Each structure stands twice: as structure tokens, then as C-alpha cells.
Amino acid sequence: MTKTILPGQTIGIIGGGQLGRMMALAAKEAGFKIAVLDPAMDSPTGQVADIQIVAPFNDFHALEELAEVSDVITYEFENIDATGLEQLAETSYVPQGAELIRVTQNRIYEKQAIAEAGVPIANYIEATSYEEFKEKSNQLNFPFVVKTATGGYDGKGQQTITSVEELPLAEPLFQSGACVAEAFVHFTKEISVIIQRNVHGEMTVLPVGENIHKDHILHKTIVPARIEPRTLEQAKEAARKIASHLNMVGTLAVEMFVLEEGDIIVNELAPRPHNSGHYSIEGTNISQFHQHIRAICGWPLREPKLWSDTVMVNVLGEHVAPLASRIAHYPNWSIHLYGKEEAKHKRKMGHITILTDDLDQTLKEIDESGIWPE
């Protein structure tokens, strides 16, 4: 069943973070109303929504309440109850369904799905206990990374192992349940491909971004990614294969490693708008958030076009004060802050987007601003 959702109708969003906020702002431009479910009274999305439901994400009565006031339901993060979402989809219009959430919540299911789509991934083993992990560990060369199958983000829930002596370092991870251990990939770049697909199966791909991380948190995205044309086509084709295999609706971010010879290996999936796609608000003719709204509402998708080289830089808690003191010096910077009250260390508070005709000079300007010390 597919529907066309029209301006004036209400889009329900599960999750009140910054992704939901930017989704809501894009929807409001087209005249939609917004309802949000989030445990926090003053969530970033709640600040711009028409209707707020303040309750835990696993509160099925609250989900039913969201359904009653919404004509279509989407989500802005993947750590929601897949079973509850599946139940909701039986009586409400949830075009994305629950299967994509179920798969991407679990690294074991995710890796199986990527492999089934015919896309390369790093060698890995899966284990339900530390004892099983020890028995299977000789199937991988050192170093390798052990990750919890569920939970974990921004580098949390994982441990690098470089020798037999270090195997016990992974034991605490199994307290959370099953884990995967992945062969370490010697890569030259990290890139992400954001693919979007509407309820009619139409797909578009945003210009591919090159990602630079600090302390396992995305620091900046450079668009277009500085990769060879062959790598670019391989990356986009991998994303199309995965999106088609999963029959996904909405937005899927496919994070990849670029190997020395230019081939790609898929690292992980995010079934929602992604931090590395924030540049698209100013950098392209259709942002990931506008396109997501079109996709779930049954509208035709627009072919994305990049206006110029673009850099997106994350603003964490420790960057807010230095940014505020330097705003006057950078008129070409587009500043986005997410409405989070407390600027905690390493907390994502906002981002900056810079369109440029001199990429090297812009990267130098960012480094010399003093906002993001090395």
C-alpha cells in the first residue's frame, strides 16, 4: 500500500534529535505539520513541531498516540524497538516498515544483508560468547576489531585486538550479547554514499562525500570526495544494490572504505539521514532532508546536483564558545545549531557548511580558525 501525503497533512517523527529537527524544517517549508515522539520535553525536533508526545520510544501507547495524529510516520534514528514499529505498521502508514531497522540494528544481520546484496565487506566472524570468539579468532589475521552486534556508536562498543595476548580485552563486550570481529581494513579514505528511494522504487544518490573522523566522531565531510571516477561508480553501484536488496524506502547512508587500489569495502549502514549529508542543505539543489520527506510522502524525487565544492564541519560542545567568538570573521560560513541546551564535551551541537571554489584554501581556513584545535 502506498499513499501520497499532501501539504497540510501531518508527518509523525519517532525521535526528537537534530536529524528530526532538520527533517521537520524541510517538511514545514512544503506546508506539512509535524508531530514528534521523544522522551525529552525540549528536544531539538520538539522545538519546531506542532505536536509533542513526551514518552519513551518503547511506549506502545505513545506510538499509537503518534499514529492517531499522523498521516505518515518516519523515524530519525535506528535505536527504536523494531517489534513495536512492526506492530505500528500493521495499523498505521509507516512506508519504511520495520525490516530495515531490524537489519541495521544488528551488525550480524547487517553484514549478512550486505553480502547477500553482492557487495564486498571485510572478512569477519560472529560469536555469541567470549569462548566461541576465542575458538574462532584464529580465522582472522591481527589486527582486527571486535564490535557488539547491537548498540554502540561513534566508536563505542568496540575493541581493537592486535595479538593473542590482547584477546581478553574483548571479553567485556560479550556482556551485551553477541559480537562480530572484523578484519582490520587498510584504507586510504572513508566515504559515505547517501541513497534515497521513494515508495514507487525511484532512487537517487547524493554527491558522494569524503569523511574525516576525530576520536571516532565525524569531524568534516568534503564533497565531492577526492576519489577516482572508477571508485565513485563502484561506490554508487554498491549503494544501489544494497538499497534494492533491502527494498528500502526513505534514506540509507552507506559508509565505505576506499582501498589503496581504488576498490571499496562497505563498513556499515545507517537507515536515516546522516551526519555526512548535512552539507546538502546548502550544497545541493535538494537536501537529504527534503528528499527524505519526498520519499516517504510518495512524491517524485529530484536528481541531486552539487552547486560547488563543499565542506561540512561538525560543531561539538567544546567548539560552541570559540565559534560564537569568531562568527563575524567568516561571512561565507552557514551555521546550524541544533537547539541543545547543554554544550557537553564531544556532544554534537551543530555544524557549519562552506561552499567554495578553492577547496585547499577553505580547509586551511578551517584549520587556522582556532575553533577545532588538532
Side-chain angles (χ1 to χ4, degrees):
M1 176 187 69
T2 63
K3 294 181 183 177
T4 301
I5 308 300
L6 298 173
Q9 292 185 279
T10 300
I11 298 171
I13 302 175
I14 302 172
Q18 64 263 22
L19 299 178
R21 179 189 182 94
M22 289 182 272
M23 212 186 275
L25 291 171
K28 278 181 162 288
E29 285 182 20
F32 291 104
K33 293 185 175 69
I34 298 295
V36 62
L37 168 63
D38 192 88
M41 179 66 74
D42 192 39
S43 68
T45 312
Q47 293 166 19
V48 300
D50 301 279
I51 301 166
Q52 282 194 79
I53 300 169
V54 181
F57 299 120
N58 61 356
D59 183 334
F60 192 68
H61 293 298
L63 286 168
E64 286 183 321
E65 188 181 341
L66 181 70
E68 283 174 15
V69 298
S70 304
D71 297 289
V72 61
I73 293 175
T74 185
Y75 47 79
E76 64 110 38
F77 77 134
E78 57 268 49
N79 294 320
I80 53 181
D81 180 42
T83 304
L85 191 64
E86 192 172 15
Q87 286 178 303
L88 192 68
E90 290 174 5
T91 55
S92 312
Y93 187 47
V94 187
Q96 292 162 275
E99 180 63 10
L100 187 61
I101 286 286
R102 188 191 71 82
V103 168
T104 54
Q105 276 183 347
N106 187 302
R107 287 189 171 96
I108 294 172
Y109 301 158
E110 183 175 280
K111 289 183 180 302
Q112 289 169 350
I114 295 167
E116 287 166 4
V119 173
I121 54 175
N123 291 333
Y124 75 98
I125 58 171
E126 54 188 79
T128 57
S129 67
Y130 176 64
E131 295 305 317
E132 184 184 0
F133 160 69
K134 279 199 301 183
E135 288 174 19
K136 289 183 171 180
S137 61
N138 60 3
Q139 296 176 29
L140 296 175
N141 295 325
F142 296 109
F144 56 77
V145 183
V146 185
K147 300 179 180 179
T148 55
T150 58
Y153 63 95
D154 289 345
K156 298 176 177 67
Q158 57 183 262
Q159 176 67 52
T160 301
I161 304 294
T162 61
S163 65
V164 173
E165 291 72 30
E166 289 187 357
L167 290 179
L169 293 175
E171 188 169 7
L173 296 178
F174 287 89
Q175 292 172 5
S176 303
C179 292
V180 296
E182 304 171 0
F184 189 80
V185 176
H186 296 280
F187 58 89
T188 60
K189 279 185 169 63
E190 294 180 79
I191 62 172
S192 53
V193 182
I194 296 174
I195 186 163
Q196 299 183 290
R197 185 175 183 271
N198 68 9
V199 294
H200 307 297
E202 180 187 4
M203 288 191 286
T204 59
V205 178
L206 275 178
V208 176
E210 172 185 338
N211 299 326
I212 297 167
H213 291 80
K214 280 186 181 179
D215 301 324
H216 300 289
I217 300 172
L218 182 64
H219 170 46
K220 60 179 170 243
T221 298
I222 299 165
V223 191
R226 296 169 292 184
I227 54 178
E228 295 297 320
R230 179 180 75 86
T231 304
L232 179 65
E233 287 311 309
Q234 198 179 112
K236 291 196 288 190
E237 182 57 23
R240 290 189 195 102
K241 283 182 176 179
I242 294 168
S244 297
H245 175 72
L246 292 171
N247 201 28
M248 55 81 67
V249 171
T251 303
L252 182 70
V254 186
E255 297 182 70
M256 308 181 188
F257 297 129
V258 179
L259 307 181
E260 200 163 339
E261 62 273 22
D263 291 327
I264 59 98
I265 277 184
V266 170
N267 179 31
E268 59 184 11
L269 310 177
R272 50 167 170 77
H274 194 258
N275 195 171
S276 64
H278 293 352
Y279 79 88
S280 61
I281 296 173
E282 285 86 16
T284 64
N285 62 333
I286 180 81
S287 80
Q288 65 170 340
F289 301 103
H290 289 85
Q291 196 87 295
H292 181 82
I293 296 301
R294 297 176 79 93
I296 63 165
C297 289
W299 292 21
L301 303 185
R302 184 180 301 164
E303 189 60 38
K305 173 185 174 183
L306 187 68
W307 296 128
S308 72
D309 288 357
T310 304
V311 182
M312 187 283 302
V313 197
N314 265 339
V315 176
L316 306 182
E318 60 268 34
H319 306 139
V320 172
L323 170 63
S325 69
R326 291 167 175 77
I327 286 174
H329 301 292
Y330 301 105
N332 295 327
W333 291 12
S334 296
I335 296 168
H336 297 256
L337 292 173
Y338 304 146
K340 297 178 181 178
E341 193 172 336
E342 191 178 351
K344 294 179 184 174
H345 188 71
K346 299 296 179 193
R347 187 185 196 190
K348 290 175 183 172
M349 300 298 293
H351 71 270
I352 288 168
T353 307
I354 310 166
L355 276 62
T356 179
D357 54 11
D358 189 335
L359 183 58
D360 290 336
Q361 177 57 37
T362 297
L363 294 173
K364 184 180 176 187
E365 178 181 270
I366 291 165
D367 290 341
E368 291 178 349
S369 71
I371 298 168
W372 301 273
E374 289 301 317

